[in-house]
């Protein structure tokens, strides 16, 4: 419904609905706007939470397997976002220097 008017339920006022494809789009995942430093914060926070659970400090669940699973998911998302951000930066620098992005190994 991009660029179309939809009739709302609050008295019939018209509104436009944005269904863009950018990182801030309504259907985008919560981690889409984090960037590299946000990803580093996720990894560091996940590591701190894992240490917290390992030491059995207050707030640790009785069965830690579920907690470790949730922490592992947060750390994995952080690692993927960080890797994607760093890879994008590397490609931008390569393009700026005039190197071709072939996607394969370089041959001499």
């Amino acid at each position: 419904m991009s660029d179309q008017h939809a009739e709302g339920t609050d008295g019939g006022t018209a509104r436009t609905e944005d269904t863009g494809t950018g990182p801030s789009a309504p259907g985008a995942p919560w981690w889409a706007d984090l960037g590299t430093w946000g990803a580093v914060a996720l990894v560091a926070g996940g590591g701190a939470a894992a240490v917290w659970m390992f030491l059995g400090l207050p707030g640790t669940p009785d069965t830690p397997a579920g907690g470790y699973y949730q922490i592992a998911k947060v750390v994995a998302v952080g690692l993927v976002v960080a890797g994607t951000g760093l890879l994008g930066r590397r490609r931008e620098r390569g393009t700026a220097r005039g190197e071709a992005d072939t996607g394969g190994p370089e041959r001499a």
Side-chain angles (χ1 to χ4, degrees), residues 18-26 28:
D18 180 25
T19 57
T21 57
S24 299

Side-chain angles (χ1 to χ4, degrees), residues 11-43:
T13 58
R15 59 185 169 92
T16 58
E17 194 171 312
D18 180 25
T19 57
T21 57
S24 299
W30 61 268
W31 44 266
D33 278 341
L34 286 178
T36 305
W37 288 111
V40 170
L42 277 180
V43 172

Side-chain angles (χ1 to χ4, degrees), residues 56-95:
L57 297 174
T60 303
D62 294 334
T63 56
Y68 283 124
Y69 175 70
Q70 297 298 326
I71 291 169
K73 289 195 311 186
V74 169
V75 170
V77 167
L79 289 173
V80 168
V81 171
T84 310
L86 294 175
L87 182 62
R89 236 186 245 172
R90 182 175 176 211
R91 285 186 179 169
E92 286 176 6
R93 278 192 279 163
T95 305

